[in-house]
Amino acid sequence: MKIAVLAGTLALAPFAATAGGYVEPAAPAPAPVAPAPAPIGYDWSGFYGGVQLEYGDITADDAATGAEAAAGDNALYGIFGGYRYDFGNFVVGGEIDYNLADIDLTTPAGAAAGTLDSVLRAGVEAGYDAGPALIYGTAGLAQATATLGGVEDTDNGYFYGVGVDYLVTDQIVLGAEVLQHEFEDFTSTGLATDLDISATTFGINAAFRF
């Protein structure tokens, strides 16, 4: 008798479990969500070197009277190299470049006065890290070599300006720069008076980062 009662209880157990109504099956666990990718970082630190092409506009005034003595414009081209360190939003660095030129200088009357032969520059940079772009200001020392009155002479001055560089890849950089140069009392044995020479250059460049 006990065996029969036990068997009946086990047979009715599934119906008793659902006697209160339909039981909804448990919802499946949500699929794991992959974390969003971290933003790409840009680091301007390191050495670099490259080539550049510039357009220069030059005016030379008589240092004694201030009257225009000569003027000229044409292309410059050369090489450059430097090092930058990225502090996060702020980047500092130093750069040196050498440019050849063949800019003819003529007097207001149209007579030949000489040529600008080359420009050597060494300066410092400070700029803002805008991700793939670097916006900076620069200033430093400049040395110009010119042939004036048939004599080649070299004199020192300074420059300042602004520029922007853009990371095309992690190693390739393209840039543009506007610089103002001042050479006061440029002395040449080929001239009877010293010159105050001002030169504005606009350049484009390409660099490789090491």
Side-chain angles (χ1 to χ4, degrees), residues 15 52 58 72 97 129 150 167 171-172 182:
F15 299 99
Q52 60 193 12
I58 302 172
D97 64 50
D129 181 350
L167 282 170
Q171 291 183 304
I172 303 298
E182 301 292 342

Side-chain angles (χ1 to χ4, degrees), residues 105-149:
L105 303 175
T106 58
T107 68
T115 59
L116 176 69
D117 303 320
S118 65
V119 177
L120 174 66
R121 294 184 295 239
V124 294
E125 297 178 354
Y128 174 68
D129 181 350
L134 174 65
I135 305 166
Y136 63 89
T138 182
L141 301 177
Q143 185 181 78
T145 300
T147 301
L148 302 170

Side-chain angles (χ1 to χ4, degrees), residues 6-73:
L6 178 59
T9 302
L10 293 176
L12 293 174
F15 299 99
T18 59
Y22 173 74
V23 178
E24 184 178 355
V33 178
I40 299 175
Y42 296 93
D43 187 355
W44 289 90
S45 298
F47 290 97
Y48 61 91
V51 295
Q52 60 193 12
L53 176 65
E54 298 181 343
Y55 167 79
D57 187 10
I58 302 172
T59 300
D61 296 334
D62 188 310
T65 66
E68 182 178 317
D73 60 275

Side-chain angles (χ1 to χ4, degrees), residues 156-207:
N156 299 322
Y158 61 93
F159 74 92
Y160 57 91
V162 295
V164 59
D165 281 351
Y166 188 84
L167 282 170
V168 179
T169 70
D170 189 52
Q171 291 183 304
I172 303 298
V173 182
L174 299 180
E177 197 173 57
V178 178
L179 302 177
Q180 179 65 32
H181 307 70
E182 301 292 342
F183 300 93
E184 300 174 355
D185 295 325
F186 193 107
T187 301
S188 174
T189 56
L191 299 176
T193 182
D194 293 345
L195 298 176
D196 289 337
I197 300 177
S198 294
T200 303
T201 60
F202 170 77
I204 56 175
N205 56 73

